[in-house]
Amino acid sequence: MARKTIDLDTVQANGKRGETQRPAFTKINDNFAEVYGALGSVATIVEDVNKLKAEIENEAEQAKAEVQNAIARLPAAVDNAIYGRIPGKNRLINGNFDFWTRGTPVRQTGYGPDRWFVQIGLMTGASVLANNNVPGDGVFGDARLSMATDSAGNEDAFGHYFVFEQRVENVRTFAGVLSTVSFTVYNAGAAGRRIAVEFLQNFGTGGSETILGMNAEVFSLVEGVNHIRKTVTLPSVSGKTVASTNHHSAVAVWLSSGSGFDVRNAGLGAQSGRLFFGEFQWEEGGTATGYDTRPLSHEAALCGWYAQRIDINAGDAFSVCTALGQFDCVGQLSFQPMRSKPAARTLGGGVNMTGFGIAGGNAPGSSFNVIPVSVSGAAITAGVATGGMSPGASGYIAPKAGGISIILEAEI
């Protein structure tokens, strides 16, 4: 509305100059109404401007926080993008428990899944076993197997123990540098179950004293999937005496223990129930990067440096031998090179002898032995209790019903 002006000069019907009071004050009221209306609009605009200002400041603070968080995550992102894709970063072997040279389950102290040494004491229901993963369950990625552990039957509140470890060849491994262990645990029971992680340095026979209980920490598990991360700087080995062989660094996972082991596992205590493990990785640096999934053929070769299993079906000839006399023969067996001359043991029902000048051509063997002579070869001896072999004659040996298995071990 245009401003209304009061006429002060025009002569009116009454002979006086200017508008009368009523029309004049009506114009005044109309002008004031317009001014106050405009003032109300200004107040609304000011209020809207203040709200907009507050929103902009809010968004600016949020953007600032997001930028700061992105900057904080940048080192880990770079690590994952670059170092996280470097093959061979994982110093642990068989981290997904794909290989079980000695079989499954394991209920006593000894090597269980390849490269993992299991120790069980004063427990009647403790065991580890290979578990077939459910395809697509989203727990252990595309891994075929995981390791299941059962903790039960604690017979001694002070002295019982259940722990598994991997011994990484060379005690200098990660000595004096930052490193990170990561793995996945599926807790099939209720929340509150606990495990502990411990690090060790062993300087070999004749070397400095083994250091136990380093950086031990207890982890409380939720029900279902748990991702464990542990960063550590192991002590330098400067000034230590390192033996010529069998020295190593190790990471150990405690499943249950008596109070006598509190100094090694930060007071874990007795535990019970079933857990599933997979995706074990130990790498340099302070960040747990994605699990380094190696081809199975590569993983098998790494495992074979320490342990191998040769399975031979019944009736399959696997060695040509030469008779030394009427009762004995000797042959050879080759295998993938190992870290040292292995120990050997056999499982199964023995062998049958074919050839060797035996009347009728065949005879059941009465003895069978594998004697490693190098890091990649062994002598095989077999015997016939009834004799009848022609010295110098050749023949072959084959397993009896059920087959045989030859296990070669060159563990640390």
Side-chain angles (χ1 to χ4, degrees):
M1 180 185 78
R3 186 183 66 170
K4 295 183 178 181
T5 304
I6 298 172
D7 187 353
L8 301 177
D9 298 312
T10 303
V11 178
Q12 304 296 318
N14 58 7
K16 296 182 179 181
R17 294 167 64 93
E19 293 185 71
T20 60
Q21 292 178 344
R22 183 175 182 80
F25 278 110
T26 298
K27 290 182 178 180
I28 292 171
N29 285 341
D30 288 345
N31 286 336
F32 272 119
E34 185 172 358
V35 169
Y36 275 100
L39 288 175
S41 298
V42 170
T44 300
I45 292 171
V46 170
E47 184 179 350
D48 290 343
V49 167
N50 287 334
K51 285 182 180 177
L52 182 60
K53 177 186 176 185
E55 289 174 1
I56 291 172
E57 289 175 346
N58 232 3
E59 291 176 359
E61 285 300 316
Q62 290 178 2
K64 180 181 176 182
E66 289 174 2
V67 169
Q68 289 174 337
N69 288 336
I71 292 172
R73 292 194 301 267
L74 190 57
V78 172
D79 207 8
N80 272 307
I82 302 176
Y83 180 75
R85 285 177 166 77
I86 297 176
K89 64 180 178 178
N90 188 5
R91 299 298 180 89
L92 300 180
I93 298 171
N94 200 27
N96 261 342
F97 305 100
D98 285 301
F99 299 96
W100 296 70
T101 291
R102 295 120 178 136
T104 176
V106 178
R107 296 189 175 92
Q108 60 187 6
T109 294
Y111 276 91
D114 284 27
R115 298 301 301 123
W116 294 97
F117 187 66
V118 179
Q119 299 178 72
I120 300 172
L122 299 175
M123 297 185 72
T124 57
S127 64
V128 302
L129 62 152
N131 175 70
N132 289 302
N133 294 332
V134 177
D137 64 3
V139 179
F140 299 110
D142 60 358
R144 304 174 306 157
L145 301 176
S146 55
M147 182 179 73
T149 65
D150 287 317
S151 300
N154 161 25
E155 295 181 320
D156 190 315
F158 177 82
H160 84 276
Y161 54 89
F162 187 13
V163 56
F164 63 92
E165 67 182 38
Q166 182 158 150
R167 300 167 179 178
V168 179
E169 198 168 0
N170 190 354
V171 73
R172 300 173 184 84
T173 301
F174 296 138
V177 300
L178 195 66
S179 65
T180 299
V181 166
S182 58
F183 56 95
T184 299
V185 188
Y186 185 85
N187 176 18
R193 172 76 184 279
R194 307 197 311 166
I195 60 173
V197 175
E198 172 201 22
F199 295 88
L200 306 86
Q201 286 179 325
N202 184 302
F203 297 88
T205 303
S208 296
E209 184 177 356
T210 298
I211 304 175
L212 304 171
M214 292 189 296
N215 295 87
E217 182 177 353
V218 172
F219 294 87
S220 185
L221 305 177
V222 300
E223 183 178 351
V225 180
N226 296 260
H227 298 292
I228 306 300
R229 306 288 185 264
K230 174 69 176 172
T231 298
V232 63
T233 299
L234 299 182
S236 167
V237 297
S238 178
K240 299 290 186 180
T241 300
V242 179
S244 59
T245 59
N246 291 349
H247 53 86
H248 59 272
S249 295
V251 57
V253 177
W254 289 79
L255 303 170
S256 184
S257 77
S259 57
F261 296 96
D262 284 355
V263 294
R264 288 191 57 183
N265 57 36
L268 172 66
Q271 307 292 315
S272 62
R274 172 166 280 202
L275 299 173
F276 300 85
F277 292 88
E279 298 181 325
F280 266 88
Q281 183 156 279
W282 192 4
E283 60 191 302
E284 186 173 348
T287 302
T289 63
Y291 181 70
D292 182 14
T293 302
R294 292 184 283 253
L296 289 178
S297 57
H298 187 185
E299 204 76 48
L302 293 174
C303 290
W305 184 246
Y306 301 91
Q308 295 180 40
R309 182 187 183 110
I310 303 171
D311 294 314
I312 308 158
N313 295 323
D316 289 347
F318 66 94
S319 180
V320 175
C321 298
T322 301
L324 298 177
Q326 293 188 45
F327 299 93
D328 301 289
C329 71
V330 63
Q332 294 181 335
L333 177 70
S334 298
F335 46 86
Q336 172 188 324
M338 304 181 73
R339 62 174 290 271
S340 62
K341 186 174 74 173
R345 55 193 172 99
T346 59
L347 306 174
V351 297
N352 289 317
M353 320 289 287
T354 301
F356 303 103
I358 298 171
N362 298 287
S366 58
S367 65
F368 173 65
N369 296 288
V370 177
I371 307 166
V373 295
S374 71
V375 297
S376 60
I380 291 177
T381 64
V384 180
T386 56
M389 302 172 73
S390 299
S394 296
Y396 63 84
I397 57 176
K400 296 179 180 178
I404 60 172
S405 295
I406 302 170
I407 298 177
L408 303 157
E409 297 172 291
E411 296 286 359
I412 297 172

